[in-house]
Structures are given as structure tokens and as C-alpha cells.
Amino acid sequence: MVTLLRHRGFVLIWAAGLFSSVASWLLLTGLPIYVFGVTGSALTTSAVFLVELLCGITLGSFAGALADRVDRFRLMSGVAALQAAVVIPLLGQPDHHLWVISLVAGAQAVLTQTFDSARNAALPGLVEPAHLVRANSAVALNVSVGRLIGGSLGGFAITRDGTRYLAVGSAVAFVIAAALIAAGRRAARHHAAGQATPDRTSSFLTDWRSGLTAIRRNRVMRVTILSMALGGIAQGLFVVLFVVFVSRALDADGTLTGVLRGVQAIGGVAGGLIVGMLGARLSPRLLMSLGATTFALISLVIWNGPAVTRQPEWYILLFILVGAPGIAYASGAFAQIQQSVPDTELGRAFGAYFAIFNAAQGLGMAAAGLLGDVLSVVLVLNVQAVLYLASGAVAYVGLRSVRLQRPAERQPATADVG
């Protein structure tokens, strides 16, 4: 991980991503709490999540296409500034205008996906190919740290002054992120090393369609997305049925639910550090398969654990452990895409990746809603674990015979971009 500190451009982008993640988790935590407090309706509260999901599915690939047409640093900086502006309506305490919160949540979902697509597409130009896994693990680390900080502050802010403190806190974090990205762009001398100049000779829709066609023809992308889609369905099952599992199988209340969700971030931080230290020794394919398989095995222990014990301490430990494999899987998947897709198509590749993941997660949520009250929650969650096993198997077997494509237009970064 220390080697990444030599790349000033990467360090600034990483720090910007951390502030952006904190701001996003402020909103992800605080807004549902506020909506439920105002309405007392779980259905209305879930609508906020649904709006975010639908916006990510329908607009995600278009958002990624922007990263292939404009300077990625300018795009990230502009998106972060726009995210700060989008939360301004929350200053007005929209108690009787919950549609405002839905609009804010939906806009933030699309902007976050745009930011993430541009950042992930820019990474290969900021660090050497040998350090891509480390760089991706550091980026993935932001999600866990952002959850720890932003999740805690979001719950605190919403109890103090409604959405006002939430808006101020997230806006400040987004503005700092925009400033850091602007500094990162200057450090990279206006273009990250190895990043191709965006081509604007064709129309946006033509670029979008041609990019998606190229991605469909890329076997590495097809296998990676299939593996990720299986994991997305499993994640959707988890999001809905986790609360049911704690209530019915562990016979516990919401306090344990919150603790278990929170401690996952601890494992995520540890996982990011471990992958950062060891990631260069493992191929992206192996990281994906090991991450998904380990996640599945720990999940099987968790879901079937109540047959042996319901002591909360054991589940707190297991949920800490389960936070690490997800970092390994994401780091491997992102590196796999970055090494197999030309620089000029990376934005669209990540836009499609996130859009399909959101769609798969939505499918899992729908399945959980249909099956959760009909079948045993433990049975359905065991299926969730099996889906993660399948995800790991697809990554390991499907990518085994595929040679990573090394596009000629992407030259390895050999010097500090600063």
C-alpha cells in the first residue's frame, strides 16, 4: 500500500472518494430514518430505496458513457459539486413533500454511479498495472470507512435537526471531494498518464451503443458480469431477509440488527488492508473466486448457526469476518475489467457493470419479498450462500482460460503522475 503513496494523483483521488463515500452514507443512513420517522410506514421508506435502485438501473450505463467522452477528472469534480447542490432542498425540512427526498435520493444514485464509473476508469492511468489490485482495494476501503463514519454521523444528524444537518454535512463533504479532485487533475497535468483523449467525433448515443456492443463481445466482461450478477441477486436476498433472520432465527430486536450491519464495516476495513498488502500476489480471477467462496462459506455458518447457538457475540464476530471477502471480490472484479477493456471504453464498462448489478440486486429483493413469508428464511438465505458459491465458480472456471487483453492504446504508467 505504501507504494501507492508515491502517486500524488491517486492519493488525491482516493481522498476525494473517501469524502464522497462519507457524504453518500450520511444520506443513505439519514434519509430512510427521517422518512420512517415522519410517515411511520415501512412501505414509504422502502420507496426511497426503490427510487435509488431504479435510477441506477435505467441511467447507469448512460452515466458511465460520459466518462468516455469527457475528461474524467473534470467529470468527477463537476459531479461532486453537483451532488453538493442537489442536497440543498433538504435544508427546507420537506416533511410534507417526501417526493423531494425521493428526487434527491434518485439524483444522488445516478451521480454516485457516474462518479464511481469515472474514478474506476481513471485508475489504470494513475498507477502501474502491477498495483491495480492494491489501488482497487484502497478504493473499496473507502466504502467501509465511509459506512463507519457517514453511517454513524447520519443517524446522529437526523435526530438533531431533521434533514438540515444532514444536508450541510453531506454538502461540505462533497465540496471537499470536488476540490481534491481538481487538485488531483492538476497533479496529473490535466490527463492521467496513459488515458486516451476522449473522442467526440461521434454522437453520444452512437458511442453508448458501440461501447455496449464491444463489451458484449468481450468474453472477460461477459464472465465477470455473470459472476457479479449472481452475487447481486444474493445481495438483494440478504438486504431484505437479514432483518427477518435476526428477528425470527436469532429472536433479537433492532439493536442487534444495527450492530451486525455496522460491524461489517470493520471487516471491510481489515479486508481492504489485507488485499492491499497481498493483492499483487494474487490474480484478479483468484481474488474474485476466493472472495465469493469465502463469503459463501461464512454465510452458511451464519444462517445455520441458530441450530447451535443464538449468542450475539458469535454473530458479531462472524459479521466482522464476512465484511472482508467482499472487498477481495470487488478489488479483483474491478482489476479484471480494467485490464481487459480499452481505456476508451472503460467508463461504459463500469457503467454497465453497476447498472446490471443494481438490476440483479433488485431481482433478489423481489424474490426475497415473494419467498420470505412462504418459505423458511434460513432456507432462502442458504440459497443466497449457494449463489455466492456459484459466483465464485463462474469467476474461477470462466476466466481460467481467458488471457487478459492488454489494449495497445493503454501504456503502463511508469512514473509518478505528480
Side-chain angles (χ1 to χ4, degrees):
M1 295 287 280
V2 177
T3 56
L4 295 176
L5 299 179
R6 298 199 307 265
H7 302 275
R8 186 166 178 257
F10 170 79
V11 172
L12 290 169
I13 295 303
W14 177 85
L18 178 58
F19 277 97
S20 178
S21 181
V22 169
S24 294
W25 276 102
L26 271 168
L27 298 171
L28 283 171
T29 303
L31 289 182
I33 295 174
Y34 178 77
V35 171
F36 186 75
V38 171
T39 66
S41 168
L43 179 62
T44 304
T45 304
S46 66
V48 176
F49 292 105
L50 183 61
V51 167
E52 292 176 341
L53 195 63
L54 290 176
C55 288
I57 293 171
T58 56
L59 300 176
S61 63
F62 291 99
L66 284 175
D68 292 334
R69 285 186 64 88
V70 301
D71 180 278
R72 287 165 182 161
F73 283 84
R74 284 183 172 174
L75 178 61
M76 286 187 285
S77 183
V79 164
L82 188 56
Q83 285 179 291
V86 164
V87 300
I88 290 177
L90 299 180
L91 292 171
Q93 302 284 23
D95 295 17
H96 304 293
H97 301 284
L98 295 180
W99 60 269
V100 173
I101 291 180
S102 295
L103 286 178
V104 170
Q108 288 292 347
V110 175
L111 292 171
T112 297
Q113 198 156 314
T114 305
F115 182 95
D116 289 347
S117 297
R119 178 196 57 202
N120 292 340
L123 280 187
L126 292 173
V127 300
E128 295 89 345
H131 299 317
L132 263 181
V133 170
R134 288 194 177 104
N136 282 298
S137 70
V139 168
L141 187 66
N142 285 345
V143 177
S144 296
V145 177
R147 176 188 289 186
L148 282 173
I149 299 174
S152 301
L153 293 178
F156 174 80
I158 207 69
T159 60
R160 296 299 173 183
D161 195 17
T163 58
R164 188 171 290 116
Y165 284 176
L166 202 67
V168 172
S170 58
V172 169
F174 282 132
V175 168
I176 293 174
L180 287 169
I181 294 165
R185 182 174 184 268
R186 289 194 296 270
R189 298 186 180 94
H190 304 288
H191 285 286
Q195 179 177 316
T197 302
D199 179 12
R200 301 186 185 88
T201 57
S202 56
S203 69
F204 176 80
L205 287 178
T206 299
D207 280 354
W208 175 72
R209 288 193 298 267
S210 64
L212 294 184
T213 299
I215 290 168
R216 286 196 300 269
R217 293 173 178 171
N218 185 319
R219 183 182 171 188
V220 174
M221 275 297 299
R222 294 200 307 270
V223 174
T224 302
I225 286 180
L226 175 59
S227 172
M228 172 274 303
L230 291 170
I233 296 173
Q235 178 65 16
L237 290 170
F238 168 82
V239 168
V240 174
L241 296 181
F242 165 68
V243 177
V244 180
F245 171 80
V246 174
S247 175
R248 294 180 184 175
L250 296 183
D251 195 24
D253 58 17
T255 301
L256 182 60
T257 302
V259 170
L260 294 179
R261 288 304 300 269
V263 297
Q264 277 184 276
I266 298 174
V269 172
L273 295 175
I274 293 171
V275 173
M277 291 186 290
L278 303 178
R281 303 177 186 177
L282 302 174
S283 68
R285 174 180 69 94
L286 193 56
L287 275 174
M288 288 178 66
S289 58
L290 283 176
T293 301
T294 304
F295 195 102
L297 294 176
I298 297 175
S299 296
L300 285 171
V301 173
I302 292 173
W303 308 141
N304 296 283
V308 178
T309 179
R310 296 184 180 182
Q311 290 298 316
E313 295 81 5
W314 289 105
Y315 294 93
I316 291 173
L317 174 61
L318 289 169
F319 269 84
I320 291 175
L321 294 176
V322 86
I327 298 293
Y329 180 89
S331 301
F334 290 168
Q336 194 81 56
I337 294 171
Q338 290 158 346
Q339 293 177 1
S340 64
V341 176
D343 183 86
T344 53
E345 298 169 2
L346 269 177
R348 282 163 287 186
F350 279 109
Y353 179 97
F354 290 125
I356 294 172
F357 177 81
N358 285 331
Q361 186 173 246
L363 180 60
M365 290 179 178
L370 292 173
L371 301 175
D373 291 329
V374 178
L375 301 175
S376 163
V377 65
V378 172
L379 173 62
V380 179
L381 287 172
N382 278 329
V383 172
Q384 179 251 14
V386 171
L387 285 171
Y388 274 118
L389 283 175
S391 174
V394 166
Y396 186 80
V397 176
L399 297 172
R400 186 173 185 177
S401 61
V402 178
R403 290 185 178 181
L404 296 180
Q405 302 167 29
R406 303 279 184 179
E409 63 266 34
R410 183 189 300 144
Q411 300 297 325
T414 57
D416 182 3
V417 295

PDB file of all heavy atoms in Angstrom, residues 261-286:
ATOM      1  N   ARG A 261     -24.988  -4.947  11.166  1.00  0.00           N
ATOM      2  CA  ARG A 261     -24.720  -4.215   9.922  1.00  0.00           C
ATOM      3  C   ARG A 261     -23.510  -3.308  10.073  1.00  0.00           C
ATOM      4  O   ARG A 261     -22.709  -3.154   9.145  1.00  0.00           O
ATOM      5  CB  ARG A 261     -25.943  -3.387   9.517  1.00  0.00           C
ATOM      6  CG  ARG A 261     -27.119  -4.185   8.998  1.00  0.00           C
ATOM      7  CD  ARG A 261     -26.754  -5.075   7.828  1.00  0.00           C
ATOM      8  NE  ARG A 261     -26.240  -4.329   6.692  1.00  0.00           N
ATOM      9  CZ  ARG A 261     -26.988  -3.858   5.705  1.00  0.00           C
ATOM     10  NH1 ARG A 261     -28.292  -4.043   5.715  1.00  0.00           N
ATOM     11  NH2 ARG A 261     -26.447  -3.227   4.693  1.00  0.00           N
ATOM     12  N   GLY A 262     -23.360  -2.722  11.239  1.00  0.00           N
ATOM     13  CA  GLY A 262     -22.245  -1.810  11.456  1.00  0.00           C
ATOM     14  C   GLY A 262     -20.895  -2.503  11.496  1.00  0.00           C
ATOM     15  O   GLY A 262     -19.914  -2.019  10.912  1.00  0.00           O
ATOM     16  N   VAL A 263     -20.823  -3.653  12.173  1.00  0.00           N
ATOM     17  CA  VAL A 263     -19.522  -4.308  12.335  1.00  0.00           C
ATOM     18  C   VAL A 263     -19.010  -4.896  11.034  1.00  0.00           C
ATOM     19  O   VAL A 263     -17.815  -5.216  10.920  1.00  0.00           O
ATOM     20  CB  VAL A 263     -19.581  -5.408  13.421  1.00  0.00           C
ATOM     21  CG1 VAL A 263     -19.916  -4.813  14.779  1.00  0.00           C
ATOM     22  CG2 VAL A 263     -20.570  -6.508  13.055  1.00  0.00           C
ATOM     23  N   GLN A 264     -19.878  -5.053  10.038  1.00  0.00           N
ATOM     24  CA  GLN A 264     -19.402  -5.500   8.724  1.00  0.00           C
ATOM     25  C   GLN A 264     -18.351  -4.539   8.182  1.00  0.00           C
ATOM     26  O   GLN A 264     -17.409  -4.950   7.488  1.00  0.00           O
ATOM     27  CB  GLN A 264     -20.556  -5.594   7.735  1.00  0.00           C
ATOM     28  CG  GLN A 264     -21.350  -6.872   7.808  1.00  0.00           C
ATOM     29  CD  GLN A 264     -22.408  -6.919   6.719  1.00  0.00           C
ATOM     30  OE1 GLN A 264     -23.496  -6.376   6.863  1.00  0.00           O
ATOM     31  NE2 GLN A 264     -22.076  -7.560   5.618  1.00  0.00           N
ATOM     32  N   ALA A 265     -18.511  -3.267   8.486  1.00  0.00           N
ATOM     33  CA  ALA A 265     -17.557  -2.274   8.007  1.00  0.00           C
ATOM     34  C   ALA A 265     -16.169  -2.499   8.597  1.00  0.00           C
ATOM     35  O   ALA A 265     -15.160  -2.219   7.951  1.00  0.00           O
ATOM     36  CB  ALA A 265     -18.050  -0.869   8.345  1.00  0.00           C
ATOM     37  N   ILE A 266     -16.112  -3.014   9.832  1.00  0.00           N
ATOM     38  CA  ILE A 266     -14.811  -3.301  10.453  1.00  0.00           C
ATOM     39  C   ILE A 266     -14.078  -4.368   9.631  1.00  0.00           C
ATOM     40  O   ILE A 266     -12.888  -4.241   9.329  1.00  0.00           O
ATOM     41  CB  ILE A 266     -14.999  -3.770  11.907  1.00  0.00           C
ATOM     42  CG1 ILE A 266     -15.666  -2.669  12.726  1.00  0.00           C
ATOM     43  CG2 ILE A 266     -13.661  -4.174  12.526  1.00  0.00           C
ATOM     44  CD1 ILE A 266     -16.012  -3.097  14.139  1.00  0.00           C
ATOM     45  N   GLY A 267     -14.801  -5.414   9.274  1.00  0.00           N
ATOM     46  CA  GLY A 267     -14.209  -6.444   8.432  1.00  0.00           C
ATOM     47  C   GLY A 267     -13.823  -5.911   7.070  1.00  0.00           C
ATOM     48  O   GLY A 267     -12.806  -6.323   6.481  1.00  0.00           O
ATOM     49  N   GLY A 268     -14.623  -4.976   6.543  1.00  0.00           N
ATOM     50  CA  GLY A 268     -14.298  -4.384   5.255  1.00  0.00           C
ATOM     51  C   GLY A 268     -12.998  -3.601   5.297  1.00  0.00           C
ATOM     52  O   GLY A 268     -12.185  -3.670   4.360  1.00  0.00           O
ATOM     53  N   VAL A 269     -12.796  -2.849   6.375  1.00  0.00           N
ATOM     54  CA  VAL A 269     -11.544  -2.099   6.525  1.00  0.00           C
ATOM     55  C   VAL A 269     -10.363  -3.061   6.603  1.00  0.00           C
ATOM     56  O   VAL A 269      -9.339  -2.885   5.932  1.00  0.00           O
ATOM     57  CB  VAL A 269     -11.598  -1.206   7.780  1.00  0.00           C
ATOM     58  CG1 VAL A 269     -10.230  -0.590   8.053  1.00  0.00           C
ATOM     59  CG2 VAL A 269     -12.645  -0.110   7.616  1.00  0.00           C
ATOM     60  N   ALA A 270     -10.509  -4.101   7.433  1.00  0.00           N
ATOM     61  CA  ALA A 270      -9.434  -5.089   7.557  1.00  0.00           C
ATOM     62  C   ALA A 270      -9.176  -5.790   6.223  1.00  0.00           C
ATOM     63  O   ALA A 270      -8.024  -6.007   5.820  1.00  0.00           O
ATOM     64  CB  ALA A 270      -9.796  -6.121   8.633  1.00  0.00           C
ATOM     65  N   GLY A 271     -10.253  -6.132   5.514  1.00  0.00           N
ATOM     66  CA  GLY A 271     -10.108  -6.782   4.228  1.00  0.00           C
ATOM     67  C   GLY A 271      -9.386  -5.910   3.214  1.00  0.00           C
ATOM     68  O   GLY A 271      -8.545  -6.389   2.449  1.00  0.00           O
ATOM     69  N   GLY A 272      -9.708  -4.607   3.219  1.00  0.00           N
ATOM     70  CA  GLY A 272      -9.038  -3.692   2.303  1.00  0.00           C
ATOM     71  C   GLY A 272      -7.544  -3.617   2.564  1.00  0.00           C
ATOM     72  O   GLY A 272      -6.732  -3.594   1.635  1.00  0.00           O
ATOM     73  N   LEU A 273      -7.168  -3.598   3.841  1.00  0.00           N
ATOM     74  CA  LEU A 273      -5.742  -3.542   4.189  1.00  0.00           C
ATOM     75  C   LEU A 273      -5.032  -4.838   3.803  1.00  0.00           C
ATOM     76  O   LEU A 273      -3.911  -4.825   3.293  1.00  0.00           O
ATOM     77  CB  LEU A 273      -5.588  -3.282   5.687  1.00  0.00           C
ATOM     78  CG  LEU A 273      -6.107  -1.917   6.191  1.00  0.00           C
ATOM     79  CD1 LEU A 273      -6.016  -1.838   7.701  1.00  0.00           C
ATOM     80  CD2 LEU A 273      -5.310  -0.780   5.539  1.00  0.00           C
ATOM     81  N   ILE A 274      -5.701  -5.967   4.042  1.00  0.00           N
ATOM     82  CA  ILE A 274      -5.086  -7.257   3.710  1.00  0.00           C
ATOM     83  C   ILE A 274      -4.903  -7.405   2.200  1.00  0.00           C
ATOM     84  O   ILE A 274      -3.840  -7.808   1.721  1.00  0.00           O
ATOM     85  CB  ILE A 274      -5.936  -8.417   4.260  1.00  0.00           C
ATOM     86  CG1 ILE A 274      -5.907  -8.398   5.792  1.00  0.00           C
ATOM     87  CG2 ILE A 274      -5.429  -9.758   3.737  1.00  0.00           C
ATOM     88  CD1 ILE A 274      -6.886  -9.365   6.430  1.00  0.00           C
ATOM     89  N   VAL A 275      -5.951  -7.082   1.441  1.00  0.00           N
ATOM     90  CA  VAL A 275      -5.850  -7.173  -0.015  1.00  0.00           C
ATOM     91  C   VAL A 275      -4.796  -6.201  -0.527  1.00  0.00           C
ATOM     92  O   VAL A 275      -4.047  -6.513  -1.468  1.00  0.00           O
ATOM     93  CB  VAL A 275      -7.213  -6.903  -0.671  1.00  0.00           C
ATOM     94  CG1 VAL A 275      -7.074  -6.823  -2.192  1.00  0.00           C
ATOM     95  CG2 VAL A 275      -8.201  -7.989  -0.302  1.00  0.00           C
ATOM     96  N   GLY A 276      -4.707  -5.029   0.096  1.00  0.00           N
ATOM     97  CA  GLY A 276      -3.694  -4.063  -0.312  1.00  0.00           C
ATOM     98  C   GLY A 276      -2.285  -4.597  -0.131  1.00  0.00           C
ATOM     99  O   GLY A 276      -1.384  -4.317  -0.928  1.00  0.00           O
ATOM    100  N   MET A 277      -2.060  -5.382   0.917  1.00  0.00           N
ATOM    101  CA  MET A 277      -0.728  -5.931   1.180  1.00  0.00           C
ATOM    102  C   MET A 277      -0.431  -7.163   0.337  1.00  0.00           C
ATOM    103  O   MET A 277       0.691  -7.377  -0.108  1.00  0.00           O
ATOM    104  CB  MET A 277      -0.595  -6.276   2.667  1.00  0.00           C
ATOM    105  CG  MET A 277      -0.570  -5.064   3.581  1.00  0.00           C
ATOM    106  SD  MET A 277      -0.246  -5.504   5.308  1.00  0.00           S
ATOM    107  CE  MET A 277      -1.774  -6.342   5.739  1.00  0.00           C
ATOM    108  N   LEU A 278      -1.449  -8.000   0.097  1.00  0.00           N
ATOM    109  CA  LEU A 278      -1.217  -9.279  -0.570  1.00  0.00           C
ATOM    110  C   LEU A 278      -1.757  -9.333  -1.990  1.00  0.00           C
ATOM    111  O   LEU A 278      -1.486 -10.299  -2.709  1.00  0.00           O
ATOM    112  CB  LEU A 278      -1.866 -10.414   0.234  1.00  0.00           C
ATOM    113  CG  LEU A 278      -1.423 -10.560   1.695  1.00  0.00           C
ATOM    114  CD1 LEU A 278      -2.199 -11.694   2.365  1.00  0.00           C
ATOM    115  CD2 LEU A 278       0.072 -10.807   1.791  1.00  0.00           C
ATOM    116  N   GLY A 279      -2.517  -8.324  -2.379  1.00  0.00           N
ATOM    117  CA  GLY A 279      -3.230  -8.390  -3.652  1.00  0.00           C
ATOM    118  C   GLY A 279      -2.344  -8.584  -4.862  1.00  0.00           C
ATOM    119  O   GLY A 279      -2.732  -9.260  -5.819  1.00  0.00           O
ATOM    120  N   ALA A 280      -1.141  -8.009  -4.847  1.00  0.00           N
ATOM    121  CA  ALA A 280      -0.259  -8.123  -6.003  1.00  0.00           C
ATOM    122  C   ALA A 280       0.190  -9.562  -6.239  1.00  0.00           C
ATOM    123  O   ALA A 280       0.638  -9.912  -7.327  1.00  0.00           O
ATOM    124  CB  ALA A 280       0.954  -7.216  -5.829  1.00  0.00           C
ATOM    125  N   ARG A 281       0.082 -10.409  -5.209  1.00  0.00           N
ATOM    126  CA  ARG A 281       0.500 -11.798  -5.344  1.00  0.00           C
ATOM    127  C   ARG A 281      -0.617 -12.693  -5.882  1.00  0.00           C
ATOM    128  O   ARG A 281      -0.382 -13.872  -6.171  1.00  0.00           O
ATOM    129  CB  ARG A 281       0.957 -12.339  -3.986  1.00  0.00           C
ATOM    130  CG  ARG A 281       2.076 -11.520  -3.349  1.00  0.00           C
ATOM    131  CD  ARG A 281       2.433 -12.060  -1.976  1.00  0.00           C
ATOM    132  NE  ARG A 281       3.403 -11.206  -1.306  1.00  0.00           N
ATOM    133  CZ  ARG A 281       3.849 -11.419  -0.066  1.00  0.00           C
ATOM    134  NH1 ARG A 281       3.410 -12.469   0.615  1.00  0.00           N
ATOM    135  NH2 ARG A 281       4.727 -10.588   0.481  1.00  0.00           N
ATOM    136  N   LEU A 282      -1.819 -12.159  -5.963  1.00  0.00           N
ATOM    137  CA  LEU A 282      -2.960 -12.944  -6.418  1.00  0.00           C
ATOM    138  C   LEU A 282      -3.524 -12.333  -7.692  1.00  0.00           C
ATOM    139  O   LEU A 282      -3.604 -11.118  -7.826  1.00  0.00           O
ATOM    140  CB  LEU A 282      -4.047 -12.990  -5.338  1.00  0.00           C
ATOM    141  CG  LEU A 282      -3.641 -13.571  -3.978  1.00  0.00           C
ATOM    142  CD1 LEU A 282      -4.778 -13.400  -2.987  1.00  0.00           C
ATOM    143  CD2 LEU A 282      -3.263 -15.035  -4.113  1.00  0.00           C
ATOM    144  N   SER A 283      -3.952 -13.176  -8.618  1.00  0.00           N
ATOM    145  CA  SER A 283      -4.563 -12.679  -9.844  1.00  0.00           C
ATOM    146  C   SER A 283      -5.966 -12.169  -9.537  1.00  0.00           C
ATOM    147  O   SER A 283      -6.602 -12.603  -8.563  1.00  0.00           O
ATOM    148  CB  SER A 283      -4.645 -13.799 -10.880  1.00  0.00           C
ATOM    149  OG  SER A 283      -5.583 -14.783 -10.458  1.00  0.00           O
ATOM    150  N   PRO A 284      -6.472 -11.231 -10.346  1.00  0.00           N
ATOM    151  CA  PRO A 284      -7.852 -10.767 -10.147  1.00  0.00           C
ATOM    152  C   PRO A 284      -8.860 -11.911 -10.142  1.00  0.00           C
ATOM    153  O   PRO A 284      -9.813 -11.913  -9.362  1.00  0.00           O
ATOM    154  CB  PRO A 284      -8.072  -9.819 -11.328  1.00  0.00           C
ATOM    155  CG  PRO A 284      -6.713  -9.314 -11.656  1.00  0.00           C
ATOM    156  CD  PRO A 284      -5.792 -10.476 -11.414  1.00  0.00           C
ATOM    157  N   ARG A 285      -8.642 -12.897 -11.029  1.00  0.00           N
ATOM    158  CA  ARG A 285      -9.556 -14.047 -11.083  1.00  0.00           C
ATOM    159  C   ARG A 285      -9.571 -14.801  -9.757  1.00  0.00           C
ATOM    160  O   ARG A 285     -10.638 -15.179  -9.254  1.00  0.00           O
ATOM    161  CB  ARG A 285      -9.119 -14.994 -12.204  1.00  0.00           C
ATOM    162  CG  ARG A 285      -9.902 -16.303 -12.261  1.00  0.00           C
ATOM    163  CD  ARG A 285      -9.393 -17.163 -13.400  1.00  0.00           C
ATOM    164  NE  ARG A 285      -8.061 -17.666 -13.161  1.00  0.00           N
ATOM    165  CZ  ARG A 285      -7.791 -18.855 -12.621  1.00  0.00           C
ATOM    166  NH1 ARG A 285      -8.787 -19.662 -12.257  1.00  0.00           N
ATOM    167  NH2 ARG A 285      -6.548 -19.248 -12.453  1.00  0.00           N
ATOM    168  N   LEU A 286      -8.400 -15.004  -9.169  1.00  0.00           N
ATOM    169  CA  LEU A 286      -8.319 -15.732  -7.905  1.00  0.00           C
ATOM    170  C   LEU A 286      -8.935 -14.917  -6.770  1.00  0.00           C
ATOM    171  O   LEU A 286      -9.600 -15.475  -5.895  1.00  0.00           O
ATOM    172  CB  LEU A 286      -6.859 -16.069  -7.588  1.00  0.00           C
ATOM    173  CG  LEU A 286      -6.629 -17.100  -6.471  1.00  0.00           C
ATOM    174  CD1 LEU A 286      -7.370 -18.387  -6.773  1.00  0.00           C
ATOM    175  CD2 LEU A 286      -5.142 -17.351  -6.279  1.00  0.00           C
TER     176      LEU A 286
END
